[in-house]
Amino acid sequence: MDNIISFIVMVVMLGILVVVHEWGHFIVARIFKIRVDEFSIGFGPRALRIGRRGDTEYNVRWIPLGGYVKIAGMEADEEPINVAKEKARGLLGGSPDDANAGELPLVAENTPDRAETEEQRLRDAEDGFYSKPIWQRSLVIFAGPLMSFLLGVFIFCNMGWTTGIIVSDPTNAVAKVQPGDEAARMGLQADDKIVNINGKVTDTQDKMIAAIRGNIGKDIVVTVLRGQQTVVLRGKPHPLRDDFGKPVLIDGKPVGVLGFTPGYNQHIDKFGFVESQKKGLQLISSIGPMLKAVFSSFKSVRENTGSVLSIASMTKSAVKKGPADVAGVAGSLTVSLAIFNLLPIPILDGGHLLIFLIEALRRGRRLTPQQQQNFMLAGLICIGILFLAVMSNDVLKAIHGTLPRVR
């Protein structure tokens, strides 16, 4: 039953996040009098035709994950993206005859329709996407990520007076021990409380971290409280290193670590409406440094970016804990969706913006069909590699039992 409820929550949550994103494209396109042929909730075959208003048909489709808008002149599954797909199939694992090979789920495929008939070109001359100046087209594309980001701001700013905000207080406890590192070798365990290092009381997380950081390469005596039992351990902090093997410096000095994650006590606080807005903006501002760390290298992206498996696991855990956790997951996902879509990778919104920048630098000359095919192929390969890396990372986590889950 828990799995069914979690699945329903995940579907509804992702549906809302993506529909709001697509609504951003839709509303700005309408503002600039660009014809929108269809607005659909979900993917796949049509399940329900809601109706038509003006030139736009509104539908509900069978696969309840997200949605899309069909903007005149940006037809899905047309050249040059189909040609790029044919080439990508061989590179991403699959034969050209396999209709499903190289497909990338949950990736919107809006691209100029190079297969238009003369009648379609005349029809799109006045209200089609590519009949508009570059700045208007750019705003239509940018509106999707902007709406995703604003939805995240709305969620975070209103959690304080509705669901409450999850507050994490740092402790001197151990949350997780890194396998194979010094902490594991010396016998440190999750939930241990580090109460003393080299005779100095470490009753706060700051004191605990400072005592470890300042003793790189030195033998230290660590006293921990394990349940009701006091245990004395011995270890030697080593320098924290980045993905390239270089020591991490803080104030010009290397940072000593043992290889464990400090713990936090979590509780839910509620605030008044005004204070809730301030707390929400503080949460949003803290996302920037975290995203910078995530996108610092491919390894970091692979390890910190989740596939549908991770989203499902996070949703299940959040549903188990309560509305505040569900709202937190929804807010984090929609902000991540905004940032991810702005990456300058073809197929993503950022890739379209990059094309428009190139077009502007070429004084309005659009890329040729062959150039677009190459551009789309590069994007499919980038997204495909990232998708496979993230999925494989999640599968390995699941196999080794490190993917967060609720039993």
Side-chain angles (χ1 to χ4, degrees):
M1 190 63 170
D2 287 345
N3 289 333
I4 295 175
I5 294 174
S6 298
F7 177 76
I8 292 173
V9 171
M10 183 184 74
V11 168
V12 172
M13 181 172 62
L14 289 179
I16 293 173
L17 301 190
V18 178
V19 166
V20 168
H21 179 97
E22 296 299 334
W23 185 83
H25 295 309
F26 169 81
I27 196 65
V28 176
R30 294 295 296 268
I31 288 173
F32 291 135
K33 301 187 185 308
I34 299 173
R35 195 179 75 254
V36 179
D37 294 328
E38 182 180 351
F39 190 110
S40 280
I41 300 174
F43 294 96
R46 183 169 64 189
L48 175 66
R49 183 179 184 274
I50 299 174
R52 174 180 290 274
R53 184 176 180 182
D55 294 321
T56 307
E57 182 178 276
Y58 298 87
N59 297 308
V60 176
R61 297 183 176 271
W62 281 111
I63 303 176
L65 291 174
Y68 68 91
V69 290
K70 186 177 181 182
I71 299 176
M74 294 189 72
E75 306 294 336
D77 298 322
E78 295 289 353
E79 299 293 348
I81 200 170
N82 279 343
V83 176
K85 275 186 178 181
E86 291 296 328
K87 295 178 180 179
R89 281 171 185 149
L91 295 172
L92 295 177
S95 68
D97 297 329
D98 183 0
N100 296 315
E103 293 293 336
L104 301 170
L106 302 181
V107 174
E109 299 171 351
N110 288 324
T111 186
D113 185 359
R114 299 290 185 174
E116 286 184 317
T117 64
E118 187 61 32
E119 180 183 353
Q120 287 174 314
R121 291 191 183 95
L122 291 173
R123 181 195 65 190
D124 292 341
E126 294 183 359
D127 58 1
F129 184 77
Y130 279 90
S131 68
K132 304 301 179 180
I134 293 175
W135 70 271
Q136 290 188 6
R137 285 182 269 147
S138 298
L139 287 178
V140 171
I141 296 300
F142 182 72
L146 177 62
M147 285 304 302
S148 292
F149 182 79
L150 291 179
L151 176 61
V153 172
F154 176 82
I155 291 173
F156 283 128
C157 285
N158 290 281
M159 285 176 60
W161 67 279
T162 54
T163 63
I165 293 177
I166 303 168
V167 178
S168 297
D169 296 324
T171 70
N172 61 336
V174 176
K176 179 181 177 182
V177 176
Q178 182 66 34
D181 213 325
E182 180 67 9
R185 186 204 64 76
M186 61 189 285
L188 203 61
Q189 298 178 11
D191 297 326
D192 283 350
K193 290 185 178 180
I194 299 179
V195 296
N196 193 296
I197 296 179
N198 283 350
K200 294 182 179 180
V201 175
T202 54
D203 54 356
T204 66
Q205 190 176 109
D206 287 342
K207 291 179 182 179
M208 176 185 71
I209 292 175
I212 296 173
R213 284 182 174 177
N215 285 288
I216 295 179
K218 300 177 182 178
D219 292 321
I220 60 174
V221 178
V222 180
T223 303
V224 304
L225 186 61
R226 184 174 296 166
Q228 301 299 318
Q229 181 183 8
T230 299
V231 180
V232 178
L233 307 171
R234 288 173 173 77
K236 183 182 293 185
H238 59 82
L240 176 64
R241 299 183 183 277
D242 61 21
D243 292 335
F244 302 99
K246 297 181 179 179
V248 175
L249 303 180
I250 294 181
D251 296 329
K253 298 179 180 179
V255 178
V257 294
L258 289 174
F260 70 90
T261 303
Y264 291 83
N265 285 330
Q266 292 188 336
H267 57 92
I268 297 175
D269 281 352
K270 283 198 173 185
F271 309 92
F273 180 80
V274 175
E275 186 66 18
S276 178
Q277 309 307 305
K278 295 179 181 178
K279 294 289 184 181
L281 292 176
Q282 290 175 4
L283 287 173
I284 289 291
S285 65
S286 68
I287 290 176
M290 289 189 293
L291 288 173
K292 182 179 179 182
V294 168
F295 289 105
S296 61
S297 68
F298 179 79
K299 179 182 177 182
S300 182
V301 172
R302 179 177 64 85
E303 293 180 349
N304 292 283
T305 306
S307 67
V308 175
L309 289 177
S310 282
I311 296 174
S313 178
M314 287 190 299
T315 303
K316 184 176 181 180
S317 177
V319 168
K320 200 78 172 179
K321 293 178 180 178
D325 283 76
V326 174
V329 169
S332 299
L333 282 177
T334 190
V335 172
S336 300
L337 176 66
I339 302 299
F340 182 76
N341 264 281
L342 284 175
L343 294 178
I345 299 175
I347 299 176
L348 301 180
D349 292 330
H352 287 293
L353 293 175
L354 179 59
I355 288 178
F356 298 155
L357 175 61
I358 294 172
E359 183 179 333
L361 295 175
R362 287 158 54 98
R363 298 183 178 180
R365 287 191 299 119
R366 291 172 59 186
L367 298 178
T368 65
Q370 182 61 48
Q371 289 171 331
Q372 287 222 13
Q373 288 169 17
N374 294 336
F375 200 65
M376 293 296 175
L377 176 61
L380 283 167
I381 293 173
C382 290
I383 294 293
I385 291 174
L386 180 59
F387 173 78
L388 293 174
V390 169
M391 181 61 77
S392 63
N393 191 57
D394 276 355
V395 170
L396 288 175
K397 286 180 180 178
I399 291 174
H400 293 291
T402 57
L403 192 68
R405 35 180 158 171
V406 176
R407 295 184 182 276

